[in-house]
Amino acid sequence: MAGIGVKKILNPAVIKQIREHPVRYARKGKFLFFKLLTYLVLLELSFIFVLPILYIISTSTKSIEDFLDSTIVWIPSAIHFFNFEQAFKGMYYMESLTQSLTITLLACLGQLISCAITGYGFGRYKFPGSSFLFGLVLLTLLVPPQTIIISLYSLFKQLGWINTLYPFIIPSFFAHGLRGALFILIFRQFFRSLPTEIEEAARIDGAGPIRVFTTIMLPLAKPAIIIVGLFSLVWHWNDYYEPVLYLNREEFYTLPIRLESLGRNINDIFGANTDAGLNEPVIMAACFLIVAPLFILYIVGQSFIKEGIERTGFGGE
């Protein structure tokens, strides 16, 4: 029995396993170290993004006394829902919400249609001057809108578009508008990553360029559509710079613009002697009401957003 045990220990396979045993544990330790480091970095990044949200929620439920009390930091002594009522009425929430939704949805729809067509043309077709034209598109991405805002305002004023929705909607349907060049780039890179055999097979079956795009290529671009739609919705919803320039009448104000006049409106509604519009809890309640639709959008479409981020390609031939 002892001889059998010695022979088993001296077996070359057993000796190889004994020698590789420390190496295997070293590899596992290295893998666990990098995994732990990755989780720590993600935790730090998530803290940076979650902290403002927690601050908004905590402050919006405080009374002005709790906010001024240095001993109360995160948890108020009592939840103060009156802040939300004041913010809701002070921003004329339903009217402003309708205006923001109209601008955001129509501009997003226009950019999805026009940028998909433009990106498909740049990504799948070679024509004289295509590289030069695409370079001009990238140039518009690099130019800050503040440098051309005077020219745009003069143009829209001559067209009679001030105090209308046209400055936000019409450019979007022509592959421009807010961050239009970036959306063209996303669609172009995605369409370039698709194999050319798909189009060739469709052309052999007799499909024309329009049918190939609408029935074959566009359904395959679902991840890019999700990403572009998400970015367009968020950026148009949060935009303050252009609406405050082009919309001068209160009936056209969006939610970010209403936030600026919150204190004055609350004083007009609740009485001239109130300080409801001057304290930070009411302002934080108004901020929460502004970002609440985006939270709902993320919760409802979380799976689609995750799929779009995972599948969107930026490689090309």
Side-chain angles (χ1 to χ4, degrees), residues 140-199:
T140 62
L141 178 63
L142 300 177
V143 176
Q146 290 80 2
T147 59
I148 58 174
I149 195 63
I150 297 178
S151 301
L152 287 177
Y153 185 86
S154 301
L155 175 62
F156 294 153
K157 187 175 182 179
Q158 292 176 1
L159 295 173
W161 288 4
I162 302 300
N163 290 319
T164 66
L165 303 183
Y166 295 148
F168 313 99
I169 298 174
I170 300 301
S172 299
F173 279 89
F174 287 91
H176 194 57
L178 193 63
R179 306 291 195 279
L182 176 61
F183 301 149
I184 293 174
L185 175 63
I186 292 175
F187 276 116
R188 174 185 179 269
Q189 295 302 101
F190 183 85
F191 283 125
R192 289 189 64 185
S193 66
L194 298 177
T196 57
E197 290 78 9
I198 299 176
E199 291 174 300

Side-chain angles (χ1 to χ4, degrees), residues 8 31 51 74 80 116 125 144 154 158 173 221 224 227 230 241 247 256 285 301 308 311:
K8 186 176 180 180
F31 173 77
L51 181 62
W74 290 104
H80 202 65
Y125 290 95
S154 301
Q158 292 176 1
F173 279 89
I227 294 300
L230 175 65
Y241 182 71
L247 304 176
R311 297 182 56 189

Side-chain angles (χ1 to χ4, degrees), residues 8-264:
K8 186 176 180 180
I9 295 175
L10 296 179
N11 191 311
V14 176
I15 295 175
K16 184 178 180 181
Q17 291 180 1
I18 294 174
R19 290 177 178 176
E20 292 181 353
H21 196 68
V23 178
R24 189 182 302 113
Y25 273 98
R27 290 176 181 175
K28 288 184 178 180
K30 186 177 181 180
F31 173 77
L32 291 176
F33 172 76
F34 283 108
K35 192 173 183 179
L36 179 61
L37 182 62
T38 302
Y39 279 117
L40 288 175
V41 173
L42 293 177
L43 183 62
E44 291 290 335
L45 292 176
S46 64
F47 178 77
I48 294 174
F49 291 103
V50 172
L51 181 62
I53 299 175
L54 295 178
Y55 178 80
I56 290 175
I57 296 175
S58 174
T59 307
S60 62
T61 57
K62 293 179 181 179
S63 64
I64 188 63
E65 291 78 11
D66 288 345
F67 179 73
L68 296 177
D69 190 349
S70 59
T71 61
I72 298 177
V73 181
W74 290 104
I75 301 177
S77 60
I79 298 179
H80 202 65
F81 288 109
F82 189 57
N83 296 331
F84 293 94
E85 180 183 353
Q86 292 173 329
F88 187 91
K89 294 180 178 180
M91 289 193 301
Y92 300 96
Y93 189 76
M94 296 309 299
E95 295 84 354
S96 303
L97 177 65
T98 302
Q99 191 71 8
S100 293
L101 283 175
T102 302
I103 293 176
T104 300
L105 294 178
L106 290 178
C108 177
L109 177 63
Q111 287 187 324
L112 284 175
I113 296 174
S114 59
C115 294
I117 296 173
T118 307
Y120 177 73
F122 280 122
R124 307 302 286 187
Y125 290 95
K126 297 294 183 181
F127 52 91
S130 60
S131 300
F132 175 74
L133 292 176
F134 185 69
L136 293 180
V137 171
L138 295 181
L139 182 62
T140 62
L141 178 63
L142 300 177
V143 176
Q146 290 80 2
T147 59
I148 58 174
I149 195 63
I150 297 178
S151 301
L152 287 177
Y153 185 86
S154 301
L155 175 62
F156 294 153
K157 187 175 182 179
Q158 292 176 1
L159 295 173
W161 288 4
I162 302 300
N163 290 319
T164 66
L165 303 183
Y166 295 148
F168 313 99
I169 298 174
I170 300 301
S172 299
F173 279 89
F174 287 91
H176 194 57
L178 193 63
R179 306 291 195 279
L182 176 61
F183 301 149
I184 293 174
L185 175 63
I186 292 175
F187 276 116
R188 174 185 179 269
Q189 295 302 101
F190 183 85
F191 283 125
R192 289 189 64 185
S193 66
L194 298 177
T196 57
E197 290 78 9
I198 299 176
E199 291 174 300
E200 294 174 356
R203 292 193 183 99
I204 292 175
D205 292 337
I210 297 178
R211 187 176 179 183
V212 171
F213 173 72
T214 56
T215 62
I216 297 175
M217 304 301 289
L218 196 59
L220 294 176
K222 180 182 175 182
I225 293 174
I226 293 174
I227 294 300
V228 170
L230 175 65
F231 286 169
S232 181
L233 284 172
V234 173
W235 282 333
H236 280 98
W237 184 268
N238 293 329
D239 187 28
Y240 171 84
Y241 182 71
E242 291 188 354
V244 79
L245 290 174
Y246 301 142
L247 304 176
N248 301 320
R249 297 179 183 174
E250 289 195 4
E251 59 267 26
F252 295 110
Y253 280 2
T254 59
L255 286 174
I257 302 178
R258 287 291 186 185
L259 186 62
E260 181 183 12
S261 59
L262 177 64
R264 182 177 67 252

